[in-house]
Amino acid sequence: QGTNYEVIGDERTMNLVCDDHDNQGNLPLRQMLDISDLHFDIAEDMETLYYSGNIKVLTDVPRGPITMDLDLFRWERSQWLPLSVSMKRNNFCLALKDPREIWFPIVNNIPKNQRQCPPKKGHIFTLTNFTNHIFVNNMPNVDIVGDLKAVVHIGAGGQKTCAVVYFKVYAK
């Protein structure tokens, strides 16, 4: 039997930009994506956020498979410490379609006709009331409870960008 987790994204995620310490990319995220139209509303519980708006692709993605590397860190003793959990996908476009992947609820919230991967310059992804509060059930029991940061590097054709996502994880 696996563990059930409650995951709550942090409002700091709206920035997405990696700091210099984490960034191993050569293309700044803000040159690749325009997220200025995204906004969020706060629910009555003062913890749940609902994101809405458009994400616009600003550059053409080079030919070839898109790769993704993700490293997790936990905030402990006033610093971000690496966890022994990481993910690597050699074909991120295929992984986005896999319902067993952790990000599938995010992808599933995007209208089907917008799920283009790789996206072309000018492509728009629309989020409508996407919640930062999800439950992930029957997962392997891994020590990931706490205040976490995911550093994500996405690359294709020699270009690589970095994004960071902050969230809290509770075991249920």
Side-chain angles (χ1 to χ4, degrees):
Q1 165 141 350
T3 303
N4 299 329
Y5 296 101
E6 180 179 10
V7 181
I8 302 173
D10 190 306
E11 70 276 357
R12 291 178 291 173
T13 293
M14 286 291 285
N15 185 28
L16 287 176
V17 176
C18 292
D19 61 29
D20 290 341
H21 175 74
D22 293 325
N23 195 348
Q24 298 171 10
N26 58 15
L27 178 66
L29 184 69
R30 298 283 189 213
Q31 289 180 17
M32 187 174 174
L33 296 176
D34 177 5
I35 62 168
S36 62
D37 185 56
L38 274 185
H39 59 277
F40 62 87
D41 294 316
I42 302 172
E44 289 183 19
D45 67 5
M46 300 301 287
E47 195 167 52
T48 303
L49 307 175
Y50 292 97
Y51 294 93
S52 294
N54 294 323
I55 301 168
K56 184 176 182 181
V57 178
L58 300 174
T59 61
D60 282 317
V61 176
R63 290 186 168 266
I66 297 173
T67 61
M68 188 276 308
D69 294 288
L70 180 149
D71 292 299
L72 276 180
F73 299 83
R74 182 175 22 231
W75 185 253
E76 291 183 30
R77 298 183 296 281
S78 301
Q79 62 182 331
W80 289 108
L81 299 176
L83 295 177
S84 61
V85 178
S86 63
M87 296 174 77
K88 181 179 178 88
R89 299 294 180 267
N90 292 324
N91 190 329
F92 190 50
C93 288
L94 281 179
L96 285 173
K97 299 173 187 176
D98 188 340
R100 297 169 295 177
E101 294 282 8
I102 191 81
W103 48 72
F104 190 74
I106 297 168
V107 174
N108 210 29
N109 184 269
I110 297 170
K112 282 187 179 184
N113 64 340
Q114 293 181 7
R115 295 181 201 170
Q116 180 182 357
C117 192
K120 295 187 180 343
K121 182 178 180 177
H123 187 76
I124 294 176
F125 298 100
T126 303
L127 296 180
T128 304
N129 287 329
F130 174 75
T131 181
N132 69 325
H133 199 158
I134 61 173
F135 295 88
V136 182
N137 296 319
N138 202 24
M139 294 295 289
N141 188 9
V142 181
D143 183 19
I144 59 169
V145 172
D147 289 325
L148 302 183
K149 171 176 82 167
V151 176
V152 185
H153 287 94
I154 298 174
Q159 292 184 345
K160 188 188 282 190
T161 194
C162 182
V164 64
V165 178
Y166 297 92
F167 52 99
K168 294 182 185 345
V169 176
Y170 304 95
K172 293 291 176 183

XYZ file of all heavy atoms in Angstrom, residues 4 10 14 37 40 44 48-49 86 89 95 122 125 135 138 146 160 163 165-166 168:
169
model
N -0.654 8.454 0.738
C -1.432 9.535 0.148
C -0.837 10.860 0.590
O -0.522 11.044 1.764
C -2.899 9.446 0.584
C -3.537 8.152 0.127
O -3.187 7.601 -0.900
N -4.488 7.660 0.911
N 2.755 26.980 -3.609
C 3.007 28.248 -2.942
C 2.840 29.389 -3.945
O 3.184 29.241 -5.116
C 4.445 28.199 -2.402
C 4.788 29.324 -1.473
O 4.597 30.485 -1.872
O 5.272 29.049 -0.372
N 4.401 31.724 -8.780
C 4.035 32.622 -9.879
C 5.274 33.261 -10.503
O 5.250 33.652 -11.658
C 3.085 33.716 -9.393
C 1.669 33.258 -9.128
S 0.781 32.818 -10.614
C 0.447 34.430 -11.289
N -0.030 37.268 -17.988
C -1.495 37.243 -17.949
C -2.041 36.330 -16.843
O -3.222 36.371 -16.532
C -2.040 36.787 -19.322
C -3.555 36.854 -19.388
O -4.116 37.945 -19.143
O -4.175 35.806 -19.671
N -4.115 34.822 -9.792
C -4.770 33.834 -8.935
C -5.747 34.509 -7.994
O -5.613 35.680 -7.654
C -3.766 32.979 -8.154
C -2.895 33.735 -7.195
C -3.317 33.992 -5.897
C -1.629 34.155 -7.568
C -2.507 34.666 -4.999
C -0.808 34.830 -6.677
C -1.245 35.087 -5.388
N -11.532 30.799 0.417
C -11.856 31.167 1.799
C -10.919 30.544 2.821
O -10.721 31.102 3.900
C -13.306 30.780 2.113
C -14.317 31.662 1.411
C -15.751 31.311 1.778
O -15.965 30.647 2.819
O -16.650 31.711 1.032
N -5.785 27.766 -0.469
C -6.021 27.304 -1.826
C -6.062 28.493 -2.780
O -6.733 29.488 -2.520
C -7.347 26.517 -1.907
O -7.290 25.431 -0.973
C -7.575 25.976 -3.297
N -5.316 28.361 -3.875
C -5.282 29.379 -4.919
C -5.878 28.795 -6.191
O -5.737 27.600 -6.457
C -3.845 29.827 -5.189
C -3.017 30.294 -4.002
C -1.585 30.592 -4.442
C -3.633 31.525 -3.365
N 14.666 12.687 -7.454
C 14.829 13.476 -8.668
C 14.079 12.760 -9.790
O 13.701 11.590 -9.642
C 16.297 13.655 -9.026
O 16.877 12.408 -9.300
N 13.353 12.906 -17.623
C 12.556 12.434 -18.747
C 13.297 12.802 -20.030
O 13.595 13.966 -20.259
C 11.155 13.037 -18.756
C 10.313 12.705 -17.528
C 10.001 11.206 -17.463
N 9.207 10.864 -16.295
C 9.695 10.475 -15.133
N 10.996 10.373 -14.956
N 8.905 10.166 -14.130
N 5.981 12.197 -21.849
C 5.700 12.121 -20.411
C 4.510 12.998 -20.028
O 3.766 12.663 -19.104
C 6.930 12.521 -19.613
N 4.329 31.645 -30.312
C 3.000 32.242 -30.358
C 1.894 31.361 -29.798
O 0.772 31.816 -29.599
N -1.272 28.553 -24.004
C -1.877 27.574 -23.100
C -2.759 28.361 -22.135
O -2.316 29.356 -21.559
C -0.814 26.823 -22.290
C 0.142 26.029 -23.131
C 1.405 26.519 -23.425
C -0.210 24.779 -23.609
C 2.306 25.787 -24.182
C 0.683 24.036 -24.372
C 1.946 24.541 -24.663
N -4.372 16.298 -4.371
C -4.131 15.101 -3.587
C -3.560 14.039 -4.520
O -4.083 13.811 -5.604
C -5.426 14.600 -2.933
C -5.973 15.573 -1.931
C -6.841 16.587 -2.328
C -5.607 15.501 -0.598
C -7.331 17.499 -1.410
C -6.085 16.408 0.326
C -6.954 17.404 -0.081
N -1.808 6.861 -3.255
C -1.165 5.571 -3.479
C 0.198 5.709 -4.160
O 0.504 5.009 -5.108
C -2.094 4.658 -4.292
C -1.739 3.204 -4.084
O -1.156 2.829 -3.072
N -2.083 2.389 -5.066
N 7.044 18.275 3.850
C 7.655 19.526 4.278
C 7.524 20.625 3.249
O 6.748 20.516 2.292
N 18.532 25.363 -22.962
C 18.006 24.859 -21.695
C 17.517 26.033 -20.875
O 18.152 27.082 -20.825
C 19.101 24.119 -20.924
C 18.595 23.403 -19.680
C 19.717 22.847 -18.833
C 20.257 21.581 -19.397
N 21.197 20.914 -18.453
N 13.144 26.494 -14.349
C 11.956 26.992 -13.645
C 11.985 26.418 -12.235
O 12.518 25.332 -11.998
C 10.672 26.569 -14.355
N 9.508 25.697 -8.676
C 8.153 25.592 -8.140
C 8.285 25.318 -6.648
O 9.041 24.445 -6.212
C 7.385 24.427 -8.819
C 5.998 24.289 -8.235
C 7.338 24.613 -10.320
N 7.556 26.105 -5.845
C 7.549 25.943 -4.383
C 6.224 25.348 -3.936
O 5.167 25.730 -4.440
C 7.726 27.308 -3.703
C 9.032 27.982 -4.006
C 9.138 28.878 -5.069
C 10.160 27.718 -3.243
C 10.344 29.504 -5.347
C 11.370 28.345 -3.521
C 11.452 29.230 -4.580
O 12.632 29.838 -4.857
N 4.162 22.803 -0.497
C 4.186 22.074 0.772
C 3.574 20.706 0.540
O 2.598 20.574 -0.202
C 3.380 22.819 1.837
C 3.951 24.140 2.255
C 3.083 24.761 3.347
C 3.447 26.129 3.803
N 4.700 26.692 3.484
